[in-house]
Amino acid sequence: MIGSDIQRAASLLKTGQVVAIPTETVYGLAANALDAEAVALIFAIKKRPAFDPLIVHIHSVEQLRAFTSGQVTTDAIRLVQTFWPGPLTVVLPKAEVIPDIVTAGLPTVGIRMPAHPVVRQLLSILDFPLAAPSANPFGYISPVNAAHVADQLGEQIPYILDGGVCQVGLESTIVDCTTSPCKVLRLGGISIREIADALGYIPESLTHSISNPRAPGMLTTHYAPRKKLILTSDESVFAHYAGQPEIAFLRSCTPFTGHKIQYLLSSDPYDDRKAASRLFSLLRELDSNPLIKLIIAERVPDHGLGSAINDRLTRAASEIR
Ligand code: TXA
Ligand code: MG
């Protein structure tokens, strides 16, 4: 059931149940992060492999200290002061109270303070943090509104807390702060440039190591629609398919002349934030439209959130040209 009753969501979570929650990035599938049995339900509902750790959502910086061990590093402090609440996850050594199932047995934990007012209010009335992966079946596109969650997981969870459309539309940027200098594990709602400005140096980005089990969000199968998607920045590929039926073009901001089914990520001029916020909705729409058999997607300009958008498009693609 979809609803906007924060108290009801809180009561369900207090009794060890799983509830879908809105965040500014994507919807999450949440449970009490300190309750291993409740967290096990998340893995079962999502069909998520046990090696893929969950992010822990908090509402105060004191909780960051409570759920990590050792000193919060200078880099982590700089990052959270700049970007929290918001689409940033920091990875630090975990405190004992965090059950191993949350972190997939890793000695570290990913922590994030979300900005969405509904989840902030929910967290403020709970005396525990929320473990939450994106609220989609493992490997599929992340949900950015309550209906997306209901379509795929509605039968399996007692409540979907509706907070409208997610404004960022891409998952959080994950930064591993267990090393100095720190490293970016996943591109997301905060650009590398913004991270670098806060840190005072450009961090290494490990997001291309697709076999790295420490960042399973980076598996190539992630964010994939069921339909075939070809990713390209070559206009001749669009020219080749132009005019053919049952093929959709997903373009940055300008339509390709002479083709019927076209979707634009952004209005013209191109706006990376707008494109990010529309990406997952459009991919779902394309995937569920029975008139479409093949998607040809254009790589977006690589600046700002563009590199995260291209990252998701690359993972969604069955072919790159
Ligand atoms: O924006 C987001 O981050 C959303 C919302 C709901 O907060 N959550 C999200 O969760 O995208 P999920 O489970 O789809 O992706 C979390 C990813 C994992 O796949 C893993 O790559 C990384 O976070 N992660 C979590 N804990 C980690 C850790 N201790 N070390 C390294 N990576 C970790
Ligand atoms: Mg996910």
Side-chain angles (χ1 to χ4, degrees):
M1 180 191 169
I2 301 180
S4 51
D5 185 347
I6 295 176
Q7 288 296 342
R8 172 147 184 213
S11 311
L12 290 162
L13 290 162
K14 284 178 191 167
T15 57
Q17 301 197 61
V18 171
V19 170
I21 54 163
T23 85
E24 72 283 12
T25 59
V26 301
Y27 274 71
L29 197 58
N32 178 352
L34 307 182
D35 177 347
E37 277 176 40
V39 172
L41 291 175
I42 297 177
F43 281 88
I45 292 167
K46 208 180 139 93
K47 298 197 168 59
R48 183 178 179 105
F51 61 75
D52 196 355
L54 306 183
I55 293 171
V56 172
H57 297 72
I58 60 169
H59 76 272
S60 70
V61 175
E62 293 79 76
Q63 286 187 311
L64 173 66
R65 297 187 197 280
F67 301 128
T68 56
S69 74
Q71 288 247 321
V72 177
T73 61
T74 318
D75 281 346
I77 291 169
R78 286 199 177 113
L79 291 172
V80 307
Q81 279 180 345
T82 312
F83 302 112
W84 279 3
L88 168 80
T89 296
V90 291
V91 173
L92 286 166
K94 84 172 189 75
E96 292 245 347
V97 293
I98 302 291
D100 286 337
I101 186 172
V102 172
T103 63
L106 293 173
T108 57
V109 60
I111 301 203
R112 169 163 119 77
M113 189 193 293
H116 194 295
V118 170
V119 76
R120 276 178 71 73
Q121 204 187 329
L122 174 65
L123 286 166
S124 75
I125 58 176
L126 297 172
D127 58 4
F128 49 80
L130 293 173
S134 52
N136 50 280
F138 184 70
Y140 196 67
I141 304 157
S142 296
V144 291
N145 63 43
H148 290 162
V149 182
D151 285 347
Q152 291 183 307
L153 301 175
E155 312 274 273
Q156 295 173 73
I157 49 179
Y159 201 59
I160 298 167
L161 184 58
D162 193 350
V165 175
C166 303
Q167 285 188 353
V168 177
L170 289 176
E171 300 84 351
S172 59
T173 299
I174 303 178
V175 183
D176 184 351
C177 294
T178 63
T179 60
S180 185
C182 59
K183 301 186 178 89
V184 174
L185 299 181
R186 178 175 73 183
L187 299 171
I190 293 171
S191 69
I192 294 277
R193 164 77 73 85
E194 292 171 288
I195 299 277
D197 284 349
L199 289 172
Y201 64 89
I202 299 170
E204 187 188 350
S205 178
L206 299 183
T207 61
H208 299 295
S209 54
I210 51 173
S211 61
N212 177 8
R214 287 197 55 203
M218 299 293 100
L219 293 172
T220 36
T221 53
H222 251 73
Y223 314 104
R226 289 180 207 92
K227 278 176 195 163
K228 195 172 171 215
L229 184 149
I230 297 173
L231 179 63
T232 186
S233 40
D234 181 351
E235 290 290 278
S236 74
V237 175
F238 288 99
H240 175 79
Y241 289 103
Q244 293 186 37
E246 301 188 326
I247 297 178
F249 288 1
L250 177 62
R251 307 256 311 170
S252 305
C253 65
T254 52
F256 189 91
T257 312
H259 190 69
K260 201 160 150 221
I261 316 175
Q262 300 208 49
Y263 292 75
L264 301 179
L265 282 168
S266 156
S267 47
D268 194 10
Y270 171 75
D271 174 340
D272 64 321
R273 288 181 191 274
K274 187 173 283 176
S277 73
R278 284 164 54 77
L279 176 68
F280 288 157
S281 289
L282 286 182
L283 284 176
R284 277 179 183 257
E285 200 176 317
L286 287 160
D287 211 21
S288 62
N289 185 335
L291 300 176
I292 296 168
K293 298 278 184 285
L294 172 66
I295 304 158
I296 317 286
E298 181 186 26
R299 289 180 71 85
V300 302
D302 226 20
H303 61 76
L305 298 186
S307 45
I309 296 171
N310 286 329
D311 171 85
R312 302 303 190 269
L313 284 171
T314 302
R315 292 171 207 290
S318 40
E319 195 183 326
I320 299 187
R321 281 197 209 167

